[in-house]
Amino acid sequence: MPIELKPTSSPLSDAERQAALADPGFGRVFTDHMVLARWDSARGWHDAELVPYGPLALDPATMVLHYGQEIFEGLKAYAQPDGGVAVFRPDANAARMARSAERMAMPPLPTELFVESVEALVRQDVAWVPRDPGKALYLRPFMIATEVGLGVRPANSYTYLLIASPAGAYFSRGVQPVTVWLSTEYTRAAPGGTGAAKTGGNYAASLAAQHEASQHGCDQVVWLDAAEHRWVEEMGGMNLFFVHGAGAHARLVTPSLTGTLLPGITRESLLTLAADLGLGVEERRISTQDWREGNENGEITEVFACGTAAVITPVGVVKSAAASWTVGDGGAGPVALQLRQAMLDIQHGTAPDPHGWMHRV
Ligand code: PMP
């Protein structure tokens, strides 16, 4: 579908943009434009346009404001050494958004329209793609129910939007290990629920647990299964990997996709990359007891979290109501650092891209 371009006549000045790019933080400043597309049951997807970034006018009875029929995605565009820009695996994000749409009874956005929207916004706001190493342009596609009314049922109209925000390090301390809190009080997702979908409600429901984690001096929550609070699922916004053994014998273990955790695109990419590097990989259930005992007897040498925002972040210390322990020596381990560098090299175009993950715009 053609995206009609209606750019702003008053973009931010070069000086203002450069100031924003110098220290962007995460999700604080937004580029000059956004993309919108509309869906209704009569016309399907229509009226795709790129317009100046700005507020939305919504009727107070718009359905998304009441029942949370909303889904989103997150992916990044990286400056390349030849001066171009490439986006990491937009087709994978498009596919995940379509699966989230299905779970939330929303109309899937065609992959082509998703990728076209990314291309249109990145091309228009290309001056916003940070050139410094370690920075990128974070893209946030999302879809909301726009029908006006208070009946609880799938809406008959939706708007898809895409906004972009230059991003520095997600965790302000960079590759410094994080301290995590095992949440036995709260649950993120239950079987049959929405854990595998990227929908706002999952994140709203996580905030009280994140608060509890902060109160215990932890950076992030680790979610456990709903039934037994025994099996490790994922972190608040990242998937988890456990490194068994070390050196040439290192083996990566990550919780299997049970339907209650988000199928991370970084997770899937790392499983591929690790196998490329000759490391063993395994998807299976891991209990908190396995984790603790593995750290205590030295079988588990490293634990790290992975996601689009921070790529790879080591886990240094684990705390829970019952016990606390240190992972390895509490620092960033060699496997985490090697995989992190391999991933960053592909994303920043300084290494070959054997799997065709980088999408040139
Ligand atoms: N789990 C959750 C709950 C997340 O929000 C994210 C971020 N999208 C991830 C895992 C990591 O997914 P990805 O690698 O696709 O960013």
Side-chain angles (χ1 to χ4, degrees):
M1 179 184 311
I3 297 177
E4 197 181 341
L5 302 182
K6 301 176 181 168
T8 176
S9 52
S10 55
L12 220 59
S13 72
D14 282 349
E16 284 170 310
R17 192 179 59 250
Q18 287 311 332
L21 286 174
D23 181 22
F26 183 81
R28 285 195 279 112
V29 276
F30 297 90
T31 67
D32 292 312
H33 297 91
M34 60 185 185
V35 175
L36 288 93
R38 283 98 181 164
W39 185 94
D40 65 38
S41 38
R43 282 176 291 177
W45 288 105
H46 62 279
D47 285 351
E49 55 182 2
L50 177 144
V51 296
Y53 183 93
L56 306 175
L58 292 178
D59 187 288
T62 301
M63 281 185 172
V64 66
L65 301 177
H66 300 273
Y67 311 121
Q69 206 188 4
E70 186 267 2
I71 54 175
F72 68 101
E73 271 303 325
L75 68 168
K76 280 178 172 173
Y78 299 86
Q80 301 296 296
D82 64 2
V85 173
V87 180
F88 187 70
R89 305 194 67 183
D91 49 335
N93 290 89
R96 187 170 66 189
M97 190 157 174
R99 291 196 301 272
S100 298
E102 190 182 343
R103 178 62 185 85
M104 302 305 289
M106 298 168 86
L109 186 79
T111 297
E112 310 82 72
L113 182 52
F114 182 100
V115 174
E116 279 166 17
S117 71
V118 164
E119 290 171 348
L121 187 60
V122 173
R123 283 186 192 136
Q124 184 70 42
D125 285 337
V126 70
W128 284 91
V129 180
R131 298 266 145 204
D132 310 339
K135 292 182 186 169
L137 185 65
Y138 182 80
L139 300 163
R140 167 55 58 89
F142 61 110
M143 196 201 299
I144 57 173
T146 51
E147 186 184 342
V148 173
L150 298 182
V152 181
R153 56 172 173 75
N156 62 23
S157 65
Y158 296 87
T159 298
Y160 163 76
L161 296 104
L162 172 65
I163 56 176
S165 172
Y170 183 68
F171 294 113
S172 51
R173 288 178 287 133
V175 270
Q176 287 296 307
V178 290
T179 298
V180 299
W181 175 251
L182 302 185
S183 180
T184 45
E185 173 76 16
Y186 297 101
T187 296
R188 176 179 177 275
T194 58
K198 210 158 161 60
T199 182
N202 288 343
Y203 298 80
S206 77
L207 299 176
Q210 181 60 37
H211 181 68
E212 186 190 57
S214 307
Q215 286 192 317
H216 288 91
C218 296
D219 302 295
Q220 288 285 317
V221 179
V222 167
W223 294 105
L224 307 175
D225 74 290
E228 299 176 84
H229 280 149
R230 173 173 171 210
W231 305 103
V232 177
E233 301 227 301
E234 61 177 328
M235 267 177 30
M238 304 179 90
N239 294 111
L240 282 165
F241 275 89
F242 297 78
V243 181
H244 288 244
H249 302 296
R251 198 161 45 84
L252 289 182
V253 179
T254 192
S256 30
L257 299 177
T258 53
T260 51
L261 55 151
L262 195 81
I265 289 156
T266 317
R267 173 190 180 281
E268 195 210 87
S269 307
L270 285 176
L271 286 171
T272 304
L273 213 52
D276 289 353
L277 293 169
L279 301 170
V281 293
E282 193 184 345
E283 296 172 73
R284 64 167 164 86
R285 294 213 295 186
I286 299 147
S287 70
T288 53
Q289 193 184 346
D290 295 340
W291 185 352
R292 184 177 173 186
E293 287 174 4
N295 278 151
E296 283 169 357
N297 66 26
E299 160 71 9
I300 297 176
T301 50
E302 300 177 39
V303 179
F304 62 84
C306 69
T308 298
V311 190
I312 284 182
T313 297
V315 174
V317 175
V318 186
K319 293 186 185 176
S320 72
S324 294
W325 66 93
T326 303
V327 178
D329 63 5
V335 175
L337 291 176
Q338 181 193 14
L339 285 169
R340 184 174 190 277
Q341 198 55 50
M343 191 72 129
L344 287 172
D345 286 345
I346 293 175
Q347 291 171 334
H348 291 276
T350 52
D353 172 22
H355 302 287
W357 286 337
M358 302 310 292
H359 180 88
R360 283 272 177 172
V361 299

